[in-house]
């Protein structure tokens, strides 16, 4: 990142286009790809979920990302300020508020808990996890870990502390440096894992589960879950990509930056599936094991590899870094909020927010062992559901309405760099997506799954 340049109004900008893509991909690629995606695939019927997820990424996720980048670069502000600056109605800044509360606090609070798991697994890889996994006890290990509350909380705190450290050191240094080499490293280990997983006897059934869609498993729940996962994984709907866009230089091309980010993110998610499902079936584990799926399956695969201990350690180390670059992007939101609202120093803001997030996340951490429950779900699941199936779709819906119906011309200028990029067919497709396809799809999926559609239907046919 180059520092402030001479002109008073220039905002800090990313040093290079690659730097920007790596940072955006650093926010996008994280636990969402390696932890959340595979377990949802397992829970919602395999290949059919993958297929819907891909369609949603292309026709809803990518268009929303283009919209967020455009708003950010045009406004050069944080989410709340951006909507104030670009629209006459103050109502739109609700998107910024929603993003701050949901992303900066709620998502981050339980993200730290799962992030803590990666630290535990990194350490355990070196001291006996492989032996247990070789005896087929990786599931037992996972269940006993999450049932010991003070351990889960301790690891949560450790993960949060790492995030706080990076965020306190400032956006440029922390984020960019960490992203540059961790992502390729994670990618390479995934490839090695996939090779081992695919060559296990009985891996075929897993491939079939992952790649052959079974239409009978299609239902409203899986579609809503895929929608939420698309936004979660691409870091959308909360103004985070909007903030990143505000650091993007005027001469950069938004469409290619967004496409690269989305493609890399999707690729890592798909590869995680290829590493996990063949092994799940080969080893007689359950694809619907829930949030523990990745943590139960992968150690078992590592245990089947030469130097498994070493690879397992590296894998969880890189996953930890991928998760930290994502949680930094979330923490940046609450930190900026505290700096602007309470006029705090950056380091004080990080401390204050850190404490709040720790307390909030603590409920999620201890809920893994039983209580507290909300609406029959563990607290962690409930917060996750609320964020991903309600707040993210709502935020993205509003972004589409704003850009598609109230801010289309300026957005087109941003996307085409003031008309200097050739207007191509995709710009027309994008317009259709943000104006019509995405908002209507989000609305139907949401209303349908939450039962509101049936209520509405009953009411209308009275
Ligand atoms: N995308 C990240 C992941 O897949 C998580 C994340 C970072 C996120 N920033 C976000 C999710 C903003 C929703 C909104 O792990």
């Amino acid at each position: 990142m180059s520092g402030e340049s001479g002109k008073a109004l220039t905002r800090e900008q990313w040093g290079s286009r690659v730097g920007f893509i790596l940072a955006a991909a650093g926010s996008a690629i994280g636990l969402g790809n390696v932890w959340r995606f595979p377990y949802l695939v397992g829970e919602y019927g395999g290949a059919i979920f993958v297929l819907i997820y891909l369609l949603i990424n292309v026709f809803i996720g990518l268009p929303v990302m283009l919209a967020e980048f455009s708003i950010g670069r045009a406004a050069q502000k944080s989410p709340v300020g951006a909507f104030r600056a670009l629209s006459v109605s103050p109502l739109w800044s609700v998107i910024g508020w929603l993003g701050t509360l949901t992303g900066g606090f709620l998502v981050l609070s339980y993200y730290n808990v799962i992030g803590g798991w990666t630290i535990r697994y990194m350490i355990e890889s070196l001291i006996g996890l492989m032996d247990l996994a070789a005896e087929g006890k990786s599931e037992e290990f996972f269940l006993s870990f999450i049932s010991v509350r003070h351990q889960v909380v301790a690891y949560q705190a450790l993960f949060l502390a790492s995030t706080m450290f990076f965020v306190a050191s400032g956006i440029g240094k922390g984020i960019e440096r960490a992203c540059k080499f961790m992502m390729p490293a994670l990618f390479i280990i995934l490839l090695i894992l996939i090779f081992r997983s695919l060559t296990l006897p009985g891996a075929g059934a897993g491939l079939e589960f992952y790649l052959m869609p079974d239409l009978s498993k299609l239902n409203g729940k899986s579609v809503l879950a895929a929608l939420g996962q698309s936004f979660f994984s691409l870091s959308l709907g909360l103004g985070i990509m909007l903030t990143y866009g505000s650091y993007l230089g005027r001469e950069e091309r938004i469409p290619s930056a967004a496409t690269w980010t989305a493609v890399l993110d999707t690729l890592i998610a798909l590869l995680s599936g290829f590493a996990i499902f063949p092994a799940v079936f080969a080893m007689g584990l359950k694809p619907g094991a829930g949030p523990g799926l990745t943590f139960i399956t992968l150690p078992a695969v590592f245990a089947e590899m030469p130097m498994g201990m070493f690879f397992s350690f590296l894998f969880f180390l890189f996953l930890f870094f991928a998760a930290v670059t994502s949680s930094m992007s979330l923490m940046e939101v609450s930190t900026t909020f505290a700096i602007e609202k309470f006029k705090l120093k950056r380091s004080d803001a990080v401390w204050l927010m850190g404490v709040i997030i720790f307390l909030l996340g603590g409920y999620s951490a201890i809920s893994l062992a039983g209580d507290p429950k909300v609406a029959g779900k563990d607290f962690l699941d409930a917060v996750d559901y609320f964020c991903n199936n309600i707040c993210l779709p709502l935020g993205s819906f509003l972004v589409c309405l704003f850009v598609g119906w109230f801010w289309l011309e300026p957005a087109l200028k941003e996307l085409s760099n003031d008309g200097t990029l050739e207007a191509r067919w995709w710009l027309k497709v994008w317009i259709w997506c943000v104006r019509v396809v995405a908002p209507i799809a989000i609305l139907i999926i949401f209303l349908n799954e939450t039962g509101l559609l049936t209520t509405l239907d009953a009411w209308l046919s009275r």
Side-chain angles (χ1 to χ4, degrees):
M1 171 164 319
S2 59
E4 281 302 310
S5 67
K7 282 172 269 158
L9 288 177
T10 324
R11 203 170 156 87
E12 265 192 300
Q13 286 180 357
W14 299 99
S16 65
R17 191 174 69 117
V18 175
F20 175 80
I21 292 170
L22 282 173
S27 166
I29 298 172
L31 296 169
N33 311 59
V34 181
W35 159 71
R36 204 168 184 276
F37 174 75
Y39 101 71
L40 293 180
V41 172
E43 225 161 61
Y44 291 106
I48 187 71
F49 181 91
V50 180
L51 186 66
I52 301 168
Y53 175 73
L54 291 176
L55 287 174
I56 290 181
N57 264 1
V58 174
F59 292 103
I60 304 181
L62 182 59
V64 173
M65 188 182 287
L66 288 164
E68 283 203 25
F69 279 166
S70 312
I71 300 173
R73 189 171 72 174
Q76 299 278 302
K77 287 199 165 55
S78 66
V80 176
F83 289 101
R84 284 229 180 96
L86 297 181
S87 73
V88 274
S89 160
L91 274 182
W92 292 108
S93 51
V94 106
I95 306 174
W97 286 107
L98 181 77
T100 307
L101 287 176
T102 313
F105 295 95
L106 291 180
V107 174
L108 184 54
S109 73
Y110 74 85
Y111 204 86
N112 285 309
V113 178
I114 316 292
W117 296 3
T118 62
I119 303 182
R120 172 79 199 250
Y121 270 70
M122 199 163 88
I123 298 171
E124 286 293 332
S125 297
L126 298 176
I127 53 171
L129 179 61
M130 289 303 108
D131 296 338
L132 285 175
E135 292 166 28
K137 291 192 180 144
S138 60
E139 184 165 12
E140 266 174 72
F141 173 80
F142 174 76
L143 294 176
S144 70
F145 164 48
I146 63 167
S147 67
V148 184
R149 290 182 162 146
H150 66 268
Q151 280 186 4
V152 184
V153 173
Y155 285 101
Q156 172 214 356
L158 216 55
F159 184 87
L160 178 60
S162 328
T163 307
M164 287 164 62
F165 170 76
F166 280 105
V167 174
S169 71
I171 184 169
K173 284 174 273 157
I175 299 185
E176 221 167 339
R177 222 182 269 159
C179 294
K180 265 187 186 146
F181 124 102
M182 296 298 163
M183 297 297 152
L186 184 69
F187 178 79
I188 292 169
I189 297 208
L190 267 176
L191 291 184
I192 300 175
L193 258 176
I194 292 173
F195 177 75
R196 176 67 274 210
S197 186
L198 283 175
T199 49
L200 290 170
L207 270 188
E208 196 174 308
F209 177 80
Y210 192 48
L211 295 178
M212 306 289 282
D214 174 356
L215 278 177
S216 69
K217 301 225 172 93
L218 182 65
N219 61 42
K221 273 198 179 23
S222 51
V223 181
L224 180 64
L227 183 76
Q229 173 61 16
S230 168
F231 297 141
F232 182 84
S233 193
L234 296 171
S235 299
L236 296 175
L238 302 177
I240 287 183
M241 287 304 177
L242 185 158
T243 313
Y244 276 56
S246 73
Y247 296 106
L248 193 57
R250 292 237 50 97
E251 64 298 339
E252 305 295 354
R253 300 167 180 202
I254 292 179
S256 87
T259 309
W260 269 108
T261 309
V263 166
L264 289 176
D265 184 69
T266 310
L267 186 69
I268 297 284
L270 291 176
L271 291 181
S272 302
F274 276 111
I276 289 174
F277 289 104
V280 165
F281 283 78
M283 301 188 166
L285 297 166
K286 294 180 292 295
L293 185 68
T294 298
F295 291 83
I296 292 169
T297 314
L298 292 186
V301 185
F302 284 121
E304 294 287 319
M305 273 163 58
M307 299 199 300
M309 184 167 126
F310 168 74
F311 281 117
S312 176
F313 169 77
L314 282 184
F315 176 82
F316 288 108
L317 177 74
F318 296 140
L319 181 57
F320 163 78
F321 273 100
V324 158
T325 52
S326 303
S327 65
M328 284 183 326
S329 74
L330 291 162
M331 179 123 205
E332 192 57 40
V333 179
S334 31
T335 305
T336 316
F337 167 78
I339 293 176
E340 286 175 4
K341 263 272 157 257
F342 311 122
K343 310 272 177 287
L344 293 177
K345 274 205 325 228
R346 191 172 184 87
S347 54
D348 294 343
V350 169
W351 272 109
L352 177 68
M353 294 296 114
V355 170
I356 298 175
I357 290 157
F358 174 70
L359 294 176
L360 198 60
Y363 279 104
S364 291
I366 62 174
S367 78
L368 297 169
D371 289 325
K373 291 203 184 296
V374 178
K377 292 177 193 286
D378 294 342
F379 190 79
L380 189 149
D381 280 342
V383 180
D384 179 90
Y385 187 92
F386 176 71
C387 293
N388 294 306
N389 294 6
I390 297 177
C391 301
L392 268 50
L394 178 65
S396 301
F397 176 75
L398 293 174
V399 166
C400 289
L401 283 193
F402 176 73
V403 169
W405 297 94
F406 298 90
W407 196 71
L408 192 61
E409 284 306 313
L412 290 173
K413 273 198 185 147
E414 285 299 327
L415 290 181
S416 64
N417 284 5
D418 292 322
T420 54
L421 295 185
E422 238 177 283
R424 303 216 187 111
W425 55 270
W426 54 260
L427 219 46
K428 297 206 179 72
V429 179
W430 176 79
I431 297 177
W432 268 94
C433 287
V434 281
R435 293 195 108 180
V436 184
V437 179
I440 293 185
I442 296 174
L443 204 64
I444 294 181
I445 295 170
F446 180 73
L447 292 180
N448 178 39
E449 171 41 27
T450 48
L452 289 173
L453 206 59
T454 348
T455 322
L456 200 68
D457 187 49
W459 187 76
L460 287 175
S461 55
R462 268 197 313 188

